[in-house]
Structure formats: C-alpha cells, structure tokens
Amino acid sequence: MQRWLKGALILPDRVVPNGLLACEDGRITGVWDLEADAGAPAVPDGAEVVERGYIAPGYIDIHVHGGGGGDFMDADPEAVVAITTCHARHGTTGLLATTLTAPEEELIRAFRAVKAAPRRGAQILGFHVEGPFINMQYKGAQNPAYVRSASVAEIDRWLAEGRPDDRWHVTLAPEIEGALEAIRHLAGRGAVVSAGHTDCTYDQLKAGVEAGVSHVTHLFNAMRGLHHREPGTVGGALSLPGVTVEIIADGVHVHPASMQVAVRARGAENVLLVTDAMRAAGLGDGEFTLGGLPVTVKDGAARLHSGALAGSVLTMERGVQNLVDMVGLDLPTAVAMASLHPARRLGLEARKGSLAVGKDADLLILDDKLEVMTTIIGGEVFYDAR
Ligand SMILES: [Zn+2]
C-alpha cells in the first residue's frame, strides 16, 4: 500500500518545513523538499496533510524494562504486548527488551516470552541484559540477591536463546571478577558491551574499553562520579574515544545542566535518549514492583522504599520534549538522539532511524508540542489519536 504525507519533516540535520514523504510496502520510497527540490512530484490527491506539527522517524529505545503494567521480567507474552503497545502509543517503534539482575532461569524465561509474544506495537529488535554482572556498591534498584561474577558460560546460554536478527546489549561492571574476559567474549560475538552499575575508576574503564566496552548505561546514574584527580566512570565515559552514552531524560535522574555537559563533551551524535522505563510507564501514580522489590510511583518518579530511584516512568515522547524544553537542544538533534543515534548503535542505520529513502516506514506524526498523534510501524498505522 502506498502512503503520502505532506508536512514539516524532521531530518537529522534540519527541519524541512514544506516536505513530502512517500512510502510503499513498509519502506520509505521518497523524501522531498517541496521548496527546494526541482524534481519533487506533484502532491497527490490522497496525501495526508500535517498542518501543524511534524513528521518524524519512529523512536528507538535501547533500555526499557516495562510499561503499560507489564515488565519483561514477568516472562509473560501478554506483559510483552502490554509493553510494546504502551510505548508505541508514545512514539517508540523499536526497542530492546531489557532484563534485570535475576537467576539465570528467570532471564532465560524472559527471553523465551519475548520470542513467544505476538508482534504488536513497537518491534523488539533484541535484548538488553542489564545485570547480573554488576557491582554491589552501585546496584541501584537491581536485586542484590542475584548479583554475581561474570560468566562466559552463562553468556553463551543467553545468546543461544536469540533469534538470528536479535541485537544483544549487555550492561556489566568492568571491574568485577571475570568481567574483562566476558567483555572480550561478548564483543567478539557482536554484542554491544556497556559499562553500568559500576564503581570502575577511569583506568578500569579504559581497560574495559580496550577489551570491548563501547557504551555507558544511564550516564551519571549508578556509577562512580567524576573527581578532578580520579575521573571515574563518568570522566571516562565523557572522554574515552569510541564510547557512546545514554541518558534518562526525565528531569529526575539527571539535572538538565548535566545533560548539557554530556552533549557538549561527547557530541550529540554519541548520546542516546533512553527511558529505563518500568511497568508503571503509561499508567498513573501507585504501588508497583520492580525485580520483586516494592516501588512507589509519585510525581513522575519511581522509587524503592529506601528512596532509591527504581527505573523511570518516562516515555520517548516525553524524553524528546524534555531534551528540547529542559536541555535546550534543537529539534533535529533531540529527535536524532531518540532515533538515528540508537539505530546506529544497534547497527541498524541502513534500515532505521531517519526519514530516508529505503528505510523502514517507521514514522510519527507529532503535534507542535511534540505529542505523538500517530504512530506508523512498517508502513501500517498502529496508533492514531487524531
Ligand atoms: Zn535499566
């Protein structure tokens, strides 16, 4: 089926105010600037016209545990669908199913539930295994009972559960026992290895990067901070070559000025927006659980009873709004941090992440406040609020 959209197109480097986009059979087949492209076709009669607002690429969230009442650790196909449909309504068209520190059997059950779940809403592009190979001192909301030393044998049992196209992303602490071997092993198998929930010093992170770490999980949260004589995990994350970072832009986890520091130090092209959302995302305040621990959601923050943050209730929609409103980023940069940068991080840049010919027709129609009006996934309308 062919679809035409006319309106302001958000490209990675600029907004085209008067643009035209065509897609067919799930792919983008044409992108034109109607004021500048001499070869642009006439706007067909059936074109949808977006009068106020924007046409944007679908968002990709590489760190999301739950939403709509479901958590990937529920290991339940219905919970998986609750998550993919909830986040699709808020602009996410692709995500990594993210697990928590848990016994190995529970991780395996969670992977299998994802494979068994019907495909509705956001596409599941692979897995983000956050823990169990982390540092107890920076466990955050991860359940300490199941934190353990890194094991290559266990990693191989996880990877054996993947589908051929699945992307794997593993958050671990590079300084713990067995971590360097695990990092080399994972990187050798094409997984993205990310430092997180870690007390690693600058030198330990540098050793991790030399072994294959190329990303840092929720920068600033659950890690050794920056000291001028010991730059720590944060200092290494902001300066070591070849490292990308992700930020939870809910305004609760990280101060907007710290987000500005990250974008300026690292370059926006190396910064990704993530939600780290837990099951309450898309619902209101109330009592929930995370990894078996009780969590209270109030005023946009999810906390354990100790007061520690327990994931977020952020959506990609709100995150992009925050990057513009709180951090002061321009619109193309904020959207690219939610689309192109994660697509590149997953090695999917040729297929996803921007409005470009040949890419999947994963599209959003946003209003002028960047609220998601319509979500189109693979050329099919999944959600339409208009
Ligand atoms: Zn997380």
Side-chain angles (χ1 to χ4, degrees), residues 81-213:
V81 172
I83 300 165
T84 54
T85 55
C86 163
H87 284 283
R89 284 195 287 276
H90 297 284
T92 301
T93 56
L95 58 80
L96 293 184
T98 306
T99 57
L100 284 168
T101 295
E104 181 180 335
E105 317 81 74
E106 287 185 28
L107 293 175
I108 299 286
R109 276 203 292 276
F111 303 146
R112 290 183 181 168
V114 165
K115 291 189 288 185
R119 288 156 189 238
R120 282 191 57 211
Q123 244 186 306
I124 296 182
L125 304 170
F127 298 96
H128 178 166
V129 189
E130 186 185 21
F133 308 147
I134 59 172
N135 191 309
M136 277 292 235
Q137 267 183 281
Y138 286 91
K139 64 186 186 317
Q142 304 270 338
N143 193 331
Y146 307 113
V147 170
R148 49 193 180 268
S149 313
S151 155
V152 165
E154 180 172 346
I155 287 168
D156 279 339
R157 290 190 290 272
W158 301 343
L159 298 182
E161 295 294 328
R163 304 160 295 190
D165 289 339
D166 278 332
R167 266 46 189 179
W168 287 85
H169 184 114
V170 176
T171 293
L172 50 71
E175 73 280 13
I176 67 164
E177 197 188 328
L180 291 176
E181 191 194 349
I183 292 165
R184 282 189 282 269
H185 189 77
L186 282 160
R189 274 152 190 76
V192 174
V193 193
S194 184
H197 292 276
T198 173
D199 188 32
C200 69
T201 62
Y202 174 81
D203 286 338
Q204 285 170 326
L205 183 58
K206 191 161 179 281
V209 168
E210 281 158 8
V213 168

